[in-house]
Amino acid sequence: MSALDDLVTEFARLPGIGRKTAQRLAYHLLQQPSAQLERLAETLRTVGAKVRPCQECGNLAEAETCDICRDPRRDPGVICVVEEAATVLAVERAGGFRGRYQVLGGRLAPLEGIGPDQLRTGPLVTKVKGGEVREVILATNPSIEGEATATWLAELVSAPGIKVTRLARGLPMGGDLDYVDGVTLAHALSARQEV
Ligand SMILES: [Zn+2]
């Protein structure tokens, strides 16, 4: 297999990139000056070495904890639970949310062998038990698996004095929250309903 084939194969592994697009990206890169290829390679190496999950919430971080967990202005009493770190970015871009997050690292998918033990819920449960949480917002994706995960989570975090809410209905079913536009996402968040 040639170096070019290897590159196409790597691109084709990325979400939403088919073989054709992978080829187009690879050929495009090869037309760039080699300094630019070096820069790209260096950037990939750096993120691979530096970026890791936040110890506290699972969001991407370049230190033990992420910027949001370290920000004293963010309300630790409201926690928005999302499937992937990319959704944190989408909610932040939508604006208006001043609480903190818990990134599960996936959703319940029994057919793929992803059960409760594979999801990152420990810190959330600890915080709920510790009494520092007033509201848990279930912002899993609007898909069958996301809904099932939300139903399971609602039970997991249910405790006296804790409000459990779900994003307002009307989000495109089967989609990923990170692809929903900011206005729609901000509305779904502000119109959230108690479950
Ligand atoms: Zn964090």
Side-chain angles (χ1 to χ4, degrees):
M1 200 188 243
S2 72
L4 181 57
D5 283 339
D6 287 349
L7 183 59
V8 172
T9 302
E10 288 305 323
F11 279 136
R13 276 180 222 237
L14 301 173
I17 308 273
R19 191 90 196 158
K20 266 225 161 87
T21 307
Q23 266 161 4
R24 196 143 23 102
L25 288 171
Y27 279 88
H28 171 80
L29 276 183
L30 289 175
Q31 285 160 12
Q32 308 307 307
S34 67
Q36 189 169 333
L37 295 186
E38 277 303 321
R39 218 165 33 235
L40 177 62
E42 185 53 36
T43 307
L44 288 175
R45 253 193 303 275
T46 308
V47 289
K50 266 195 174 171
V51 181
R52 54 200 154 152
C54 167
Q55 298 274 309
E56 185 98 8
C57 74
N59 184 22
L60 295 180
E62 288 192 21
E64 289 271 290
T65 50
C66 72
D67 293 346
I68 295 170
C69 286
R70 283 203 310 270
D71 186 345
R73 292 164 302 177
R74 305 288 301 225
D75 184 353
V78 183
I79 298 188
C80 180
V81 187
V82 298
E83 293 179 21
E84 304 291 350
T87 309
V88 171
L89 194 65
V91 175
E92 288 297 295
R93 277 212 197 108
F97 179 65
R98 299 304 300 160
R100 298 195 183 175
Y101 295 91
Q102 176 67 48
V103 179
L104 299 171
R107 72 273 181 270
L108 291 182
L111 294 178
E112 293 164 40
I114 305 173
D117 291 346
Q118 275 72 48
L119 300 181
R120 193 189 159 87
T121 54
L124 175 67
V125 172
T126 305
K127 286 176 195 167
V128 165
K129 281 192 181 142
E132 53 181 305
V133 180
R134 306 186 307 279
E135 180 181 357
V136 176
I137 303 170
L138 304 173
T140 48
N141 287 332
S143 65
I144 290 170
E145 288 166 341
E147 292 294 337
T149 306
T151 304
W152 164 71
L153 277 170
E155 200 153 313
L156 186 74
V157 300
S158 138
I162 296 207
K163 191 158 111 175
V164 180
T165 54
R166 181 90 176 103
L167 295 183
R169 309 233 157 236
L171 292 165
M173 192 66 184
D176 252 327
L177 284 179
D178 17 323
Y179 295 128
V180 173
D181 72 275
V183 176
T184 306
L185 188 53
H187 173 262
L189 199 59
S190 69
R192 61 187 184 266
Q193 288 156 348
E194 202 156 346
V195 292

